[in-house]
């Protein structure tokens, strides 16, 4: 089974996996994946829900699928976990050169692949738009018109997808989900680009809004580490591959309000 998992991987990555699994090389792995002595896990905070976002609790802690996965990953490494919170995945990407995090769980696209290395996909989301209450927009064609304002979160794969998809409407970036929620609620924007599941939840909180049935992009979410960290990449790849079969990923979903959500990897 192990050979099958790695059959398509480059030889250097396979060798790195062997090193990461060997006790003799555990110090090298820890130096690379947890250089501060803690596993610093980047998380994005929002009330949007789903398998990517995390939440801050009243006591100052965090909940979310990435939170649970990061905690288990640190336990397997034998180091404490530290969560580094951001407003969105774009800010996590911006922080790569600052070396403020060691592992992240975030949407993957070519722009980010130039800055970090990704392991297995653990979630797939279908992106669409929600339109404001009272809007005459009913589909992508009527949405993509001059003068239409579409919100998207800063520097995200969904934002880039929306800009590629819409030729006439204007896509405007905002830093937080909550900010966009209020703009949509007040009718100050015409639409918001995000996943079907998250927008369907938003629609229940803003009467009169409508989620369009079409899909303009599939967003894949995966574990990531900074570039040129082969031992770290090998470890997180094996961790996530195992998590899909040993129940860790399913438990993380179930613990965070996603008991009815299937685990989509493609």
């Amino acid at each position: 089974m192990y050979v099958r998992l790695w059959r398509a991987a480059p030889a250097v990555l396979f060798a790195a996996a062997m090193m990461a699994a060997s006790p003799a090389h555990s110090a090298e792995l820890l130096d690379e994946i947890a250089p501060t002595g803690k596993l610093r896990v980047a998380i994005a905070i929002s009330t949007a829900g789903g398998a990517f976002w995390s939440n801050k609790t009243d006591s100052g802690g965090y909940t979310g699928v990435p939170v649970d996965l990061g905690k288990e990953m640190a336990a397997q490494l034998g180091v404490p976990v530290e969560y580094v919170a951001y407003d969105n995945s774009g800010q996590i990407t911006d922080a790569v050169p600052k070396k403020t995090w060691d592992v992240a769980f975030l949407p993957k696209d070519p722009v980010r692949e130039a800055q970090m290395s990704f392991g297995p996909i653990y979630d797939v989301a279908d992106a669409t738009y929600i339109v404001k209450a009272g809007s005459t927009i009913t589909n992508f064609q009527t949405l993509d018109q001059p003068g239409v304002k579409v919100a998207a979160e800063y520097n995200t794969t969904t934002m880039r997808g929306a800009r590629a998809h819409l030729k006439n409407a204007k896509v405007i970036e905002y830093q937080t989900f909550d900010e966009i929620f209020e703009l949509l609620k007040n009718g100050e924007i015409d639409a918001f680009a995000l996943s079907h599941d998250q927008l369907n939840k938003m629609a229940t909180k803003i009467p009169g809004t409508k989620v369009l049935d079409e899909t303009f992009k599939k967003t894949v979410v995966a574990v990531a580490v900074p570039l040129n960290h082969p031992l770290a990449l090998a470890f997180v790849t094996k961790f996530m591959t195992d998590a899909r079969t040993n129940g860790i990923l399913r438990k993380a979903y179930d613990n965070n309000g996603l008991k009815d959500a299937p685990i989509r990897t493609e």
Side-chain angles (χ1 to χ4, degrees), residues 80-96:
V81 64
E82 178 181 311
Y83 300 107
V84 186
Y86 299 90
D87 287 328
N88 55 55
S89 61
Q91 291 181 3
I92 294 175
T93 304
D94 288 347
V96 172

Side-chain angles (χ1 to χ4, degrees), residues 59-199:
S59 62
Y62 298 101
T63 61
V65 172
V67 172
D68 288 2
L69 293 176
K71 181 179 179 181
E72 180 63 30
M73 189 179 288
Q76 290 191 17
L77 288 166
V79 298
V81 64
E82 178 181 311
Y83 300 107
V84 186
Y86 299 90
D87 287 328
N88 55 55
S89 61
Q91 291 181 3
I92 294 175
T93 304
D94 288 347
V96 172
K98 302 174 185 176
K99 300 181 180 180
T100 51
W101 58 263
D102 306 309
V103 174
F105 301 87
L106 74 172
K108 170 184 176 181
D109 70 10
V111 171
R112 289 180 178 159
E113 287 181 291
Q115 298 174 271
M116 59 191 86
S117 300
F118 285 87
I121 295 166
Y122 75 91
D123 182 58
V124 181
D126 302 317
T128 188
Y129 307 93
I130 187 172
V131 297
K132 68 181 181 181
S135 175
T136 58
I137 295 169
T138 57
N139 54 36
F140 286 175
Q141 183 177 354
T142 53
L143 172 72
D144 193 15
Q145 299 297 325
V148 173
K149 295 185 290 184
V150 179
E153 290 195 272
Y154 165 77
N155 193 21
T156 58
T157 61
T158 304
M159 177 276 295
R160 285 186 279 274
R163 284 190 170 161
H165 175 239
L166 300 173
K167 309 303 180 185
N168 300 296
K170 183 177 182 180
V171 177
I172 307 169
E173 292 179 271
Y174 297 93
Q175 288 290 335
T176 70
F177 173 91
D178 291 342
E179 179 183 11
I180 297 173
F181 181 96
E182 291 300 320
L183 290 170
L184 186 72
K185 182 179 178 181
N186 296 331
E188 297 177 51
I189 54 173
D190 297 295
F192 175 28
L194 203 63
S195 75
H196 275 272
D197 290 346
Q198 292 163 335
L199 294 180

Side-chain angles (χ1 to χ4, degrees), residues 120-124 220-221 240 244 249 253 262-266:
I121 295 166
Y122 75 91
D123 182 58
V124 181
V220 298
V221 184
M240 290 303 296
R244 295 192 308 218
L249 184 55
Y253 270 55
I263 294 173
R264 298 176 60 190
T265 58
E266 59 182 32

Side-chain angles (χ1 to χ4, degrees), residues 10-73:
V12 65
L13 192 56
F14 181 83
M18 296 295 97
M19 293 172 66
S22 170
H25 295 281
S26 60
E28 287 88 339
L29 170 61
L30 291 176
D31 284 345
E32 187 174 284
I33 199 170
T36 64
K38 298 179 180 179
L39 183 68
R40 298 171 298 173
V41 180
I43 57 174
I45 304 300
S46 169
T47 57
F52 161 66
W53 295 101
S54 298
N55 293 279
K56 190 169 185 178
T57 65
D58 293 338
S59 62
Y62 298 101
T63 61
V65 172
V67 172
D68 288 2
L69 293 176
K71 181 179 179 181
E72 180 63 30
M73 189 179 288

